[in-house]
Amino acid sequence: MNLKGKDIISIKDFSKKEINSILKFSKKMIPYAKGEKFTNILQGKVLSTLFFEPSTRTRLSFESSMNRLGGRVIGFADPISTSQKKGESLSDTIRMADSYSDVIVIRHPQEGAARLAAEFSEGPVLNAGDGAGRHPTQCLLDLFTILTEKKAIENNNVVLLGDLKYGRTVHSLAYALALYGAELTFVSPNSLKMPKEVSEECKDLGVEPKYTSNLEKAIKDADVLYVTRIQRERFPDAEEYNRVVGIYKIDNELLKYANDDLIIMHPLPRVTEIDPEVDKTKHAVYFKQAFNGVPVRMALLSSVLGGEL
Ligand code: NCD
């Protein structure tokens, strides 16, 4: 697989074979991600991190990845401090970042912003989340987590829970899981159902997702429970948010219905949807999942910049 110079905008741009090879490369990166081994394969390279929306894990794990590969990072975590505030267009901001660095990571509140950025940048652009659209690098670390915890991606019954309408992580993940032929169950309040477009994509790949709002029932057959936060910032109306916030809560009481080897994932940040008492159970893998962002993003940065271990 040769990803050199390639943009990473949507997981749909990748074949299963390409995804498998990224996951294989990510595994090789683990000792480097942990600081047990050292490499300088991206020495002299510069990454721009352009975050027009809040982020903790995505930005810091990209920065950690670039540093661990011997590269350097420039960027911003808040557009208020940039010339966007003076009215500069996204395309001009991208042109600048492109001329100052070798690769761009962008997070933006508008769907399609990363695709637009890629049109104006000569160097590769990695989508770190575009509004309620897609989040391909999160998707790859989610797949990597399922693979390492469950030994395979296929043959799992995966329950995607919560805000399936506005949650970009689940839009990417549903498609990718369907590509592997995993079983999908979508659990959400009626007003936050998975967009039709995403369900259609799954069906086109031969996977018919099940829909329910009954979590107790869904959890009984689940191998993976992927929990999401209700995306408050995407609600046009606060009333609507107040109606659904707190609707699902994972706690030890609910886990009585779960399989012994159920894993619970969450892209984080969590708000109220997972009780901290669950953190100590063997089911909780969300902190490991967050760490997996580093080896996976190391593999992606090396691949698009042509670095080899
Ligand atoms: C997610 C995101 O930004 O879409 N966070 C992340 O990247 N780990 C999920 C969220 O904000 O709820």
Side-chain angles (χ1 to χ4, degrees):
M1 177 198 56
N2 189 358
L3 285 186
K4 191 168 177 203
K6 247 193 144 183
D7 302 310
I8 299 180
I9 307 298
S10 166
I11 200 68
K12 289 193 283 175
D13 302 336
F14 293 87
S15 66
K16 192 167 146 184
K17 206 168 153 212
E18 286 173 320
I19 295 175
N20 282 337
S21 101
I22 296 168
L23 300 181
K24 212 166 143 197
F25 194 17
S26 304
K27 191 171 175 208
K28 267 174 80 178
M29 285 294 183
I30 285 186
Y32 300 93
K34 287 185 172 164
E36 293 164 359
K37 280 190 182 175
F38 304 98
T39 174
N40 269 324
I41 54 173
L42 293 189
Q43 192 172 25
K45 299 287 185 195
V46 177
L47 160 70
S48 282
T49 53
L50 314 183
F51 279 71
F52 294 89
E53 266 195 345
S55 170
T56 301
R57 275 147 294 272
T58 305
R59 187 171 62 83
L60 295 186
S61 64
F62 262 116
E63 294 194 3
S64 171
S65 299
M66 195 62 182
N67 285 313
R68 294 238 190 247
L69 292 164
R72 302 216 170 208
V73 184
I74 58 171
F76 56 83
D78 185 347
I80 294 282
S81 63
T82 73
S83 286
Q84 289 264 316
K85 193 73 189 137
K86 300 181 188 168
E88 185 168 58
S89 65
L90 178 63
S91 52
D92 280 0
T93 305
I94 295 301
R95 282 188 181 102
M96 294 308 104
D98 185 35
S99 70
Y100 301 150
S101 62
D102 304 288
V103 54
I104 293 175
V105 170
I106 180 172
R107 168 171 287 187
H108 198 279
Q110 265 169 313
E111 266 185 70
R115 186 81 68 195
L116 180 92
E119 279 171 31
F120 288 92
S121 174
E122 300 225 338
V125 171
L126 277 58
N127 180 9
D130 61 331
R134 304 284 162 148
H135 198 345
T137 69
Q138 177 74 40
C139 176
L140 289 163
L141 80 87
D142 292 340
L143 293 175
F144 185 73
T145 304
I146 296 174
L147 180 64
T148 47
E149 297 299 319
K150 295 297 219 178
K151 310 291 171 253
I153 300 172
E154 46 273 41
N155 308 325
N156 284 302
N157 177 8
V158 184
V159 173
L160 301 181
L161 169 74
D163 186 346
L164 306 186
K165 179 179 181 184
Y166 296 117
R168 53 196 172 199
T169 66
V170 283
H171 300 163
S172 295
L173 188 58
Y175 173 87
L177 289 169
L179 195 61
Y180 282 82
E183 240 180 281
L184 292 173
T185 307
F186 298 157
V187 185
S188 69
N190 215 16
S191 60
L192 297 178
K193 274 172 116 172
M194 185 66 89
K196 237 198 167 106
E197 177 205 329
V198 179
S199 308
E200 290 301 322
E201 287 168 9
C202 297
K203 283 185 207 159
D204 289 346
L205 291 166
V207 174
E208 181 89 39
K210 292 189 208 96
Y211 283 87
T212 175
S213 54
N214 187 336
L215 178 58
E216 275 96 352
K217 222 169 129 207
I219 205 178
K220 281 185 186 143
D221 303 316
D223 302 302
V224 178
L225 174 63
Y226 190 98
V227 187
T228 62
R229 171 180 72 88
I230 309 283
Q231 308 278 298
R232 180 186 208 148
E233 66 277 29
R234 314 237 182 268
F235 279 69
D237 164 20
E239 274 289 293
E240 190 58 41
Y241 172 76
N242 292 332
R243 231 170 287 152
V244 285
V245 64
I247 192 161
Y248 295 113
K249 181 151 191 149
I250 313 301
D251 55 17
N252 288 345
E253 185 57 33
L254 177 84
L255 289 177
K256 287 183 186 150
Y257 297 96
N259 276 323
D260 206 41
D261 56 1
L262 171 81
I263 61 165
I264 302 172
M265 298 173 64
H266 192 308
L268 302 176
R270 69 171 147 182
V271 191
T272 54
E273 58 280 359
I274 301 181
D275 192 301
E277 70 184 11
V278 175
D279 301 358
K280 291 188 228 71
T281 70
K282 61 181 178 202
H283 303 291
V285 303
Y286 30 89
F287 296 123
K288 276 198 238 174
Q289 179 187 355
F291 163 75
N292 286 340
V294 181
V296 170
R297 291 178 171 126
M298 286 176 80
L300 291 173
L301 288 170
S302 309
S303 301
V304 300
L305 290 172
E308 277 175 43
L309 263 187

